[in-house]
Amino acid sequence: MDFTSWMFDIQRRTEVALDRLLPAANQPPTRLHEAMRYVALGGGKRVRPLLVQAAGSLVGAAPAQIDAVGCAVELIHVYSLVHDDLPCMDDDVLRRGKPTCHIEFDEATAMLVGDALQSLAFSVISDPVLGGDPCRKLEMVHLLAQAAGSRGMAGGQAIDLGATGQDLSVEELEFMHIHKTGALIRASVMLGALCANAIDDSLRMRLDLYAKRIGLLFQVVDDILDSAADTATLGKTAGKDAAQHKATYVSLLGMQRARSLADELLSDAKSALDGLGDSAARLVEIAEYIVERKF
Ligand code: GRG
């Protein structure tokens, strides 16, 4: 199957699985449940579930386990987008081509949507029905919690908020993005791999190196798109970083060097998978997709 067909297939599977996992909109509290479904369904590239699928398939994990873990990571990601769009954070009105959650509903609902999606993510990843080795499952819950928390994504967001209006060095920008964007992307790959019963240390190290490189790559490309693409294509407000005087790879390095950095990170990510052959082909293709994507 070519990459595009595979990606559509995983996106469709993720949509179906999320639809099943999310509470029905007519189940009380209906407004909260309707809002959770509004933000989680019908949009997004589903890059994190794609990574879970590719890493999970590489190690021969069970499809049901991979699907559940992909949904858990996506739920954390969607929660972060909902909270990030709030007026007290990035204050945005457009996400995935639709009004943001607090615009369509209200701020209090958007707060609760984020909280509830995060809880649902941990409920899904720890569900005893999926079976598997209990210690391995605890390791996965722990890894997701670390990636989402103050030493991961939420910490990166805190650094970002604190840096508004400040001059950052490239090293400081990298530190922020390793946490804010990179931590959950890295966790997606590692959680996919942990879906298997056993994974050797050398494979684990290679996947982790790949995951770290694409985590940063994702953000470099995001900065390039924010500066070069339009709002209609992105489905979110374009040019926001410049308007808010935020440090980005483009503002610090210029467009040409930001593109060179993306090429370098892509090459490093692919090199990390050297020797794994065809089993790592999807991971290579996802890295290429991250660079080539238009939104
Ligand atoms: C609020 C705790 C908390 C964290 C927010 C990830 C994040 C931290 C904020 C998102 C802000 C942002 C636009 C970051 C740039 C990179 C990024 C994560 C973009 C959005 O992810 P995509 O492109 O979105 O995967 P889709 O909609 O395709 O899922």
Side-chain angles (χ1 to χ4, degrees):
M1 197 189 287
D2 66 45
F3 176 71
T4 306
S5 308
W6 178 79
M7 180 173 72
F8 287 160
D9 187 48
I10 304 305
Q11 288 169 337
R12 187 192 50 76
R13 278 172 73 109
T14 304
E15 184 78 11
V16 171
L18 285 172
D19 184 38
R20 284 203 194 110
L21 290 168
L22 286 158
N26 63 2
Q27 189 183 329
T30 52
R31 188 172 170 80
L32 178 59
H33 288 157
E34 191 193 331
M36 287 166 74
R37 298 180 73 84
Y38 174 82
V39 297
L41 298 176
K45 297 178 289 295
R46 311 295 197 198
V47 166
R48 294 149 194 83
L50 289 173
L51 288 165
V52 174
Q53 288 282 344
S57 305
L58 188 153
V59 295
Q65 176 82 5
I66 302 175
D67 286 345
V69 171
C71 286
V73 180
E74 183 68 10
L75 289 166
I76 296 279
H77 169 59
V78 177
Y79 124 66
S80 82
L81 298 180
V82 172
H83 279 191
D84 182 64
D85 289 332
L86 282 167
C88 62
M89 297 221 190
D90 211 31
D91 192 10
D92 218 326
V93 295
L94 191 69
R95 173 69 67 183
R96 293 179 165 178
K98 344 188 252 198
T100 46
C101 189
H102 65 278
I103 296 291
E104 186 70 15
F105 294 86
D106 55 78
E107 278 183 42
T109 301
M111 291 277 298
L112 291 171
V113 162
D115 296 341
L117 291 176
Q118 170 149 228
S119 296
L120 181 59
F122 283 101
S123 164
V124 168
I125 200 169
S126 60
D127 193 341
V129 165
L130 289 168
D133 175 49
C135 283
R136 179 55 60 102
K137 289 195 82 157
L138 274 180
E139 187 182 356
M140 293 169 81
V141 172
H142 184 72
L143 200 151
L144 186 60
Q146 292 282 325
S150 67
R151 281 177 289 179
M153 182 183 74
Q157 181 77 345
I159 298 169
D160 190 3
L161 292 173
T164 307
Q166 311 244 343
D167 289 331
L168 293 187
S169 65
V170 176
E171 289 72 26
E172 286 167 329
L173 186 69
E174 182 174 306
F175 183 79
M176 176 174 88
H177 289 312
I178 283 172
H179 294 83
K180 183 179 141 180
T181 314
L184 199 60
I185 289 183
R186 183 177 173 192
S188 304
V189 177
M190 300 319 290
L191 286 169
L194 286 170
C195 287
N197 287 331
I199 157 173
D200 71 62
D201 284 348
S202 133
L203 177 60
R204 200 176 173 127
M205 277 170 57
R206 280 160 181 271
L207 289 176
D208 197 38
L209 183 55
Y210 161 86
K212 284 195 271 191
R213 293 297 176 267
I214 60 157
L216 211 48
L217 174 64
F218 191 91
Q219 186 61 51
V220 175
V221 174
D222 210 72
D223 286 357
I224 292 172
L225 289 173
D226 183 75
S227 142
D230 57 79
T231 299
T233 310
L234 292 180
K236 61 182 181 183
T237 314
K240 250 197 121 200
D241 296 333
Q244 292 179 333
H245 306 290
K246 273 194 172 181
T248 69
Y249 284 100
V250 176
S251 73
L252 290 190
L253 300 176
M255 185 58 89
Q256 207 177 339
R257 280 177 61 209
R259 289 212 163 104
S260 304
L261 176 59
D263 290 343
E264 206 180 297
L265 289 166
L266 174 63
S267 164
D268 288 352
K270 288 181 180 176
S271 300
L273 303 174
D274 272 354
L276 295 178
D278 282 354
S279 63
R282 293 297 184 211
L283 289 173
V284 171
E285 288 169 333
I286 294 173
E288 286 166 349
Y289 167 73
I290 286 173
V291 177
E292 287 157 15
R293 71 199 164 100
K294 300 284 178 262
F295 64 96

